[in-house]
Amino acid sequence: ADEMDGAQFAREFGRCVHRVGSVTRSARRPAASGRPSVRAAAAIELARALCTEPKLLLLDEPSSGLNVEETDDMAFWIGDIRDELGVTVLMVEHDMSLVSKVSDRVLAMNQGEVLALGTPAEVQRHPGVIEAYLGAAGGVESMPGRPKQASIPSGDRSLYPASEGQS
């Protein structure tokens, strides 16, 4: 492997910092523990990956451990990576809010079987996806281990088909 001299390393480091500067700047919030916050750690990992100037970025549950505000930041960062840097992003993610914000194509799977491929809205409306993720009746109530009195969370109710007795 070729070794860099100090000047070359400094140039490469500066190029990398410039490339991902907006990501890391927006993540600077000190944590009480003195360690990087979850948001900062996520930004740092994205920055590290981007330093190699990838054409394809693989993300495994990038919103894991993030709160709603931090997940919104992640969506913004992923969008910028895709739109401004021209990087293709392949992401495994269960947070459909994040998936919907940053994806133009979604593949839904259940136990290794492809259920649906399409836009986020098409996949969310697909009967096989609804059955696999919400149960045969299409509601939270039918999910194994869920109490009969469970309610649908607030938000985009279009993801859930109306069940009997609901309007």
PDB file of all heavy atoms in Angstrom, residues 128-152:
ATOM      1  N   GLY A 128     -50.058  -7.819   1.201  1.00  0.00           N
ATOM      2  CA  GLY A 128     -49.125  -8.762   1.817  1.00  0.00           C
ATOM      3  C   GLY A 128     -48.279  -8.115   2.897  1.00  0.00           C
ATOM      4  O   GLY A 128     -47.973  -8.741   3.919  1.00  0.00           O
ATOM      5  N   VAL A 129     -47.912  -6.865   2.702  1.00  0.00           N
ATOM      6  CA  VAL A 129     -47.141  -6.130   3.707  1.00  0.00           C
ATOM      7  C   VAL A 129     -48.018  -5.851   4.926  1.00  0.00           C
ATOM      8  O   VAL A 129     -47.605  -6.062   6.070  1.00  0.00           O
ATOM      9  CB  VAL A 129     -46.578  -4.818   3.116  1.00  0.00           C
ATOM     10  CG1 VAL A 129     -45.937  -3.950   4.194  1.00  0.00           C
ATOM     11  CG2 VAL A 129     -45.586  -5.122   2.000  1.00  0.00           C
ATOM     12  N   ILE A 130     -49.240  -5.420   4.678  1.00  0.00           N
ATOM     13  CA  ILE A 130     -50.171  -5.137   5.786  1.00  0.00           C
ATOM     14  C   ILE A 130     -50.403  -6.403   6.603  1.00  0.00           C
ATOM     15  O   ILE A 130     -50.331  -6.382   7.831  1.00  0.00           O
ATOM     16  CB  ILE A 130     -51.496  -4.563   5.249  1.00  0.00           C
ATOM     17  CG1 ILE A 130     -51.247  -3.178   4.647  1.00  0.00           C
ATOM     18  CG2 ILE A 130     -52.549  -4.499   6.354  1.00  0.00           C
ATOM     19  CD1 ILE A 130     -52.405  -2.631   3.822  1.00  0.00           C
ATOM     20  N   GLU A 131     -50.631  -7.517   5.927  1.00  0.00           N
ATOM     21  CA  GLU A 131     -50.877  -8.772   6.640  1.00  0.00           C
ATOM     22  C   GLU A 131     -49.652  -9.211   7.441  1.00  0.00           C
ATOM     23  O   GLU A 131     -49.755  -9.588   8.602  1.00  0.00           O
ATOM     24  CB  GLU A 131     -51.278  -9.872   5.676  1.00  0.00           C
ATOM     25  CG  GLU A 131     -51.598 -11.172   6.398  1.00  0.00           C
ATOM     26  CD  GLU A 131     -52.139 -12.244   5.461  1.00  0.00           C
ATOM     27  OE1 GLU A 131     -52.566 -11.925   4.350  1.00  0.00           O
ATOM     28  OE2 GLU A 131     -52.105 -13.414   5.876  1.00  0.00           O
ATOM     29  N   ALA A 132     -48.462  -9.132   6.830  1.00  0.00           N
ATOM     30  CA  ALA A 132     -47.245  -9.594   7.503  1.00  0.00           C
ATOM     31  C   ALA A 132     -46.871  -8.725   8.697  1.00  0.00           C
ATOM     32  O   ALA A 132     -46.408  -9.236   9.709  1.00  0.00           O
ATOM     33  CB  ALA A 132     -46.088  -9.633   6.509  1.00  0.00           C
ATOM     34  N   TYR A 133     -47.085  -7.430   8.579  1.00  0.00           N
ATOM     35  CA  TYR A 133     -46.626  -6.530   9.634  1.00  0.00           C
ATOM     36  C   TYR A 133     -47.708  -6.101  10.605  1.00  0.00           C
ATOM     37  O   TYR A 133     -47.414  -5.707  11.718  1.00  0.00           O
ATOM     38  CB  TYR A 133     -45.937  -5.306   9.023  1.00  0.00           C
ATOM     39  CG  TYR A 133     -44.593  -5.685   8.450  1.00  0.00           C
ATOM     40  CD1 TYR A 133     -44.453  -6.048   7.121  1.00  0.00           C
ATOM     41  CD2 TYR A 133     -43.464  -5.726   9.259  1.00  0.00           C
ATOM     42  CE1 TYR A 133     -43.231  -6.427   6.603  1.00  0.00           C
ATOM     43  CE2 TYR A 133     -42.241  -6.109   8.757  1.00  0.00           C
ATOM     44  CZ  TYR A 133     -42.131  -6.452   7.419  1.00  0.00           C
ATOM     45  OH  TYR A 133     -40.927  -6.839   6.920  1.00  0.00           O
ATOM     46  N   LEU A 134     -48.964  -6.168  10.193  1.00  0.00           N
ATOM     47  CA  LEU A 134     -50.045  -5.751  11.084  1.00  0.00           C
ATOM     48  C   LEU A 134     -51.006  -6.874  11.421  1.00  0.00           C
ATOM     49  O   LEU A 134     -51.891  -6.705  12.238  1.00  0.00           O
ATOM     50  CB  LEU A 134     -50.825  -4.574  10.469  1.00  0.00           C
ATOM     51  CG  LEU A 134     -50.015  -3.308  10.262  1.00  0.00           C
ATOM     52  CD1 LEU A 134     -50.882  -2.239   9.611  1.00  0.00           C
ATOM     53  CD2 LEU A 134     -49.450  -2.805  11.574  1.00  0.00           C
ATOM     54  N   GLY A 135     -50.884  -7.998  10.771  1.00  0.00           N
ATOM     55  CA  GLY A 135     -51.751  -9.132  11.049  1.00  0.00           C
ATOM     56  C   GLY A 135     -52.835  -9.272  10.009  1.00  0.00           C
ATOM     57  O   GLY A 135     -53.121  -8.359   9.239  1.00  0.00           O
ATOM     58  N   ALA A 136     -53.475 -10.444   9.984  1.00  0.00           N
ATOM     59  CA  ALA A 136     -54.459 -10.767   8.955  1.00  0.00           C
ATOM     60  C   ALA A 136     -55.619  -9.789   8.921  1.00  0.00           C
ATOM     61  O   ALA A 136     -56.145  -9.484   7.869  1.00  0.00           O
ATOM     62  CB  ALA A 136     -54.970 -12.194   9.159  1.00  0.00           C
ATOM     63  N   ALA A 137     -56.020  -9.283  10.076  1.00  0.00           N
ATOM     64  CA  ALA A 137     -57.152  -8.351  10.108  1.00  0.00           C
ATOM     65  C   ALA A 137     -56.716  -6.941   9.712  1.00  0.00           C
ATOM     66  O   ALA A 137     -57.547  -6.070   9.531  1.00  0.00           O
ATOM     67  CB  ALA A 137     -57.787  -8.336  11.495  1.00  0.00           C
ATOM     68  N   GLY A 138     -55.407  -6.722   9.623  1.00  0.00           N
ATOM     69  CA  GLY A 138     -54.914  -5.418   9.188  1.00  0.00           C
ATOM     70  C   GLY A 138     -54.898  -4.375  10.277  1.00  0.00           C
ATOM     71  O   GLY A 138     -54.862  -3.193   9.993  1.00  0.00           O
ATOM     72  N   GLY A 139     -54.925  -4.776  11.503  1.00  0.00           N
ATOM     73  CA  GLY A 139     -54.899  -3.817  12.589  1.00  0.00           C
ATOM     74  C   GLY A 139     -53.941  -4.231  13.674  1.00  0.00           C
ATOM     75  O   GLY A 139     -53.534  -5.384  13.756  1.00  0.00           O
ATOM     76  N   VAL A 140     -53.605  -3.302  14.522  1.00  0.00           N
ATOM     77  CA  VAL A 140     -52.691  -3.570  15.627  1.00  0.00           C
ATOM     78  C   VAL A 140     -53.278  -4.637  16.541  1.00  0.00           C
ATOM     79  O   VAL A 140     -52.560  -5.463  17.086  1.00  0.00           O
ATOM     80  CB  VAL A 140     -52.404  -2.262  16.408  1.00  0.00           C
ATOM     81  CG1 VAL A 140     -51.595  -2.538  17.646  1.00  0.00           C
ATOM     82  CG2 VAL A 140     -51.702  -1.266  15.512  1.00  0.00           C
ATOM     83  N   GLU A 141     -54.601  -4.652  16.653  1.00  0.00           N
ATOM     84  CA  GLU A 141     -55.257  -5.594  17.555  1.00  0.00           C
ATOM     85  C   GLU A 141     -54.940  -7.041  17.204  1.00  0.00           C
ATOM     86  O   GLU A 141     -54.931  -7.913  18.057  1.00  0.00           O
ATOM     87  CB  GLU A 141     -56.786  -5.411  17.521  1.00  0.00           C
ATOM     88  CG  GLU A 141     -57.272  -4.015  17.770  1.00  0.00           C
ATOM     89  CD  GLU A 141     -57.196  -3.119  16.536  1.00  0.00           C
ATOM     90  OE1 GLU A 141     -57.331  -3.596  15.398  1.00  0.00           O
ATOM     91  OE2 GLU A 141     -56.973  -1.927  16.722  1.00  0.00           O
ATOM     92  N   SER A 142     -54.675  -7.320  15.929  1.00  0.00           N
ATOM     93  CA  SER A 142     -54.475  -8.701  15.501  1.00  0.00           C
ATOM     94  C   SER A 142     -53.033  -9.165  15.597  1.00  0.00           C
ATOM     95  O   SER A 142     -52.742 -10.316  15.321  1.00  0.00           O
ATOM     96  CB  SER A 142     -54.968  -8.866  14.054  1.00  0.00           C
ATOM     97  OG  SER A 142     -54.191  -8.054  13.198  1.00  0.00           O
ATOM     98  N   MET A 143     -52.131  -8.282  16.014  1.00  0.00           N
ATOM     99  CA  MET A 143     -50.727  -8.670  16.121  1.00  0.00           C
ATOM    100  C   MET A 143     -50.543  -9.606  17.302  1.00  0.00           C
ATOM    101  O   MET A 143     -51.133  -9.395  18.358  1.00  0.00           O
ATOM    102  CB  MET A 143     -49.839  -7.442  16.289  1.00  0.00           C
ATOM    103  CG  MET A 143     -49.811  -6.559  15.056  1.00  0.00           C
ATOM    104  SD  MET A 143     -48.828  -5.077  15.288  1.00  0.00           S
ATOM    105  CE  MET A 143     -47.195  -5.797  15.261  1.00  0.00           C
ATOM    106  N   PRO A 144     -49.748 -10.666  17.146  1.00  0.00           N
ATOM    107  CA  PRO A 144     -49.542 -11.609  18.251  1.00  0.00           C
ATOM    108  C   PRO A 144     -49.012 -10.893  19.491  1.00  0.00           C
ATOM    109  O   PRO A 144     -48.142 -10.042  19.402  1.00  0.00           O
ATOM    110  CB  PRO A 144     -48.494 -12.575  17.700  1.00  0.00           C
ATOM    111  CG  PRO A 144     -48.552 -12.427  16.222  1.00  0.00           C
ATOM    112  CD  PRO A 144     -49.008 -11.022  15.961  1.00  0.00           C
ATOM    113  N   GLY A 145     -49.592 -11.228  20.632  1.00  0.00           N
ATOM    114  CA  GLY A 145     -49.121 -10.667  21.888  1.00  0.00           C
ATOM    115  C   GLY A 145     -49.631  -9.267  22.185  1.00  0.00           C
ATOM    116  O   GLY A 145     -49.299  -8.691  23.211  1.00  0.00           O
ATOM    117  N   ARG A 146     -50.434  -8.691  21.320  1.00  0.00           N
ATOM    118  CA  ARG A 146     -50.963  -7.347  21.556  1.00  0.00           C
ATOM    119  C   ARG A 146     -52.278  -7.444  22.313  1.00  0.00           C
ATOM    120  O   ARG A 146     -53.107  -8.298  22.040  1.00  0.00           O
ATOM    121  CB  ARG A 146     -51.216  -6.606  20.237  1.00  0.00           C
ATOM    122  CG  ARG A 146     -49.984  -6.328  19.451  1.00  0.00           C
ATOM    123  CD  ARG A 146     -49.192  -5.242  20.137  1.00  0.00           C
ATOM    124  NE  ARG A 146     -48.015  -4.956  19.317  1.00  0.00           N
ATOM    125  CZ  ARG A 146     -47.176  -4.006  19.567  1.00  0.00           C
ATOM    126  NH1 ARG A 146     -47.335  -3.234  20.602  1.00  0.00           N
ATOM    127  NH2 ARG A 146     -46.149  -3.805  18.793  1.00  0.00           N
ATOM    128  N   PRO A 147     -52.498  -6.556  23.271  1.00  0.00           N
ATOM    129  CA  PRO A 147     -53.761  -6.570  23.999  1.00  0.00           C
ATOM    130  C   PRO A 147     -54.920  -6.160  23.085  1.00  0.00           C
ATOM    131  O   PRO A 147     -54.730  -5.427  22.124  1.00  0.00           O
ATOM    132  CB  PRO A 147     -53.556  -5.534  25.111  1.00  0.00           C
ATOM    133  CG  PRO A 147     -52.437  -4.678  24.642  1.00  0.00           C
ATOM    134  CD  PRO A 147     -51.597  -5.528  23.739  1.00  0.00           C
ATOM    135  N   LYS A 148     -56.116  -6.632  23.416  1.00  0.00           N
ATOM    136  CA  LYS A 148     -57.294  -6.344  22.594  1.00  0.00           C
ATOM    137  C   LYS A 148     -57.592  -4.839  22.548  1.00  0.00           C
ATOM    138  O   LYS A 148     -58.147  -4.351  21.594  1.00  0.00           O
ATOM    139  CB  LYS A 148     -58.522  -7.082  23.138  1.00  0.00           C
ATOM    140  CG  LYS A 148     -58.422  -8.574  22.993  1.00  0.00           C
ATOM    141  CD  LYS A 148     -58.611  -8.984  21.568  1.00  0.00           C
ATOM    142  CE  LYS A 148     -58.586 -10.490  21.448  1.00  0.00           C
ATOM    143  NZ  LYS A 148     -58.451 -10.963  20.123  1.00  0.00           N
ATOM    144  N   GLN A 149     -57.220  -4.083  23.565  1.00  0.00           N
ATOM    145  CA  GLN A 149     -57.533  -2.665  23.638  1.00  0.00           C
ATOM    146  C   GLN A 149     -56.452  -1.779  23.011  1.00  0.00           C
ATOM    147  O   GLN A 149     -56.489  -0.576  23.160  1.00  0.00           O
ATOM    148  CB  GLN A 149     -57.748  -2.241  25.100  1.00  0.00           C
ATOM    149  CG  GLN A 149     -58.902  -2.969  25.778  1.00  0.00           C
ATOM    150  CD  GLN A 149     -60.214  -2.699  25.090  1.00  0.00           C
ATOM    151  OE1 GLN A 149     -60.514  -1.581  24.704  1.00  0.00           O
ATOM    152  NE2 GLN A 149     -61.013  -3.747  24.905  1.00  0.00           N
ATOM    153  N   ALA A 150     -55.494  -2.365  22.315  1.00  0.00           N
ATOM    154  CA  ALA A 150     -54.413  -1.575  21.717  1.00  0.00           C
ATOM    155  C   ALA A 150     -54.984  -0.550  20.751  1.00  0.00           C
ATOM    156  O   ALA A 150     -55.998  -0.777  20.106  1.00  0.00           O
ATOM    157  CB  ALA A 150     -53.440  -2.486  20.974  1.00  0.00           C
ATOM    158  N   SER A 151     -54.325   0.611  20.673  1.00  0.00           N
ATOM    159  CA  SER A 151     -54.793   1.644  19.760  1.00  0.00           C
ATOM    160  C   SER A 151     -53.743   1.897  18.690  1.00  0.00           C
ATOM    161  O   SER A 151     -52.561   1.641  18.887  1.00  0.00           O
ATOM    162  CB  SER A 151     -55.083   2.933  20.533  1.00  0.00           C
ATOM    163  OG  SER A 151     -53.898   3.402  21.127  1.00  0.00           O
ATOM    164  N   ILE A 152     -54.202   2.414  17.583  1.00  0.00           N
ATOM    165  CA  ILE A 152     -53.296   2.768  16.495  1.00  0.00           C
ATOM    166  C   ILE A 152     -52.618   4.074  16.876  1.00  0.00           C
ATOM    167  O   ILE A 152     -53.285   5.023  17.284  1.00  0.00           O
ATOM    168  CB  ILE A 152     -54.067   2.909  15.173  1.00  0.00           C
ATOM    169  CG1 ILE A 152     -54.661   1.557  14.779  1.00  0.00           C
ATOM    170  CG2 ILE A 152     -53.177   3.463  14.074  1.00  0.00           C
ATOM    171  CD1 ILE A 152     -55.555   1.606  13.574  1.00  0.00           C
TER     172      ILE A 152
END
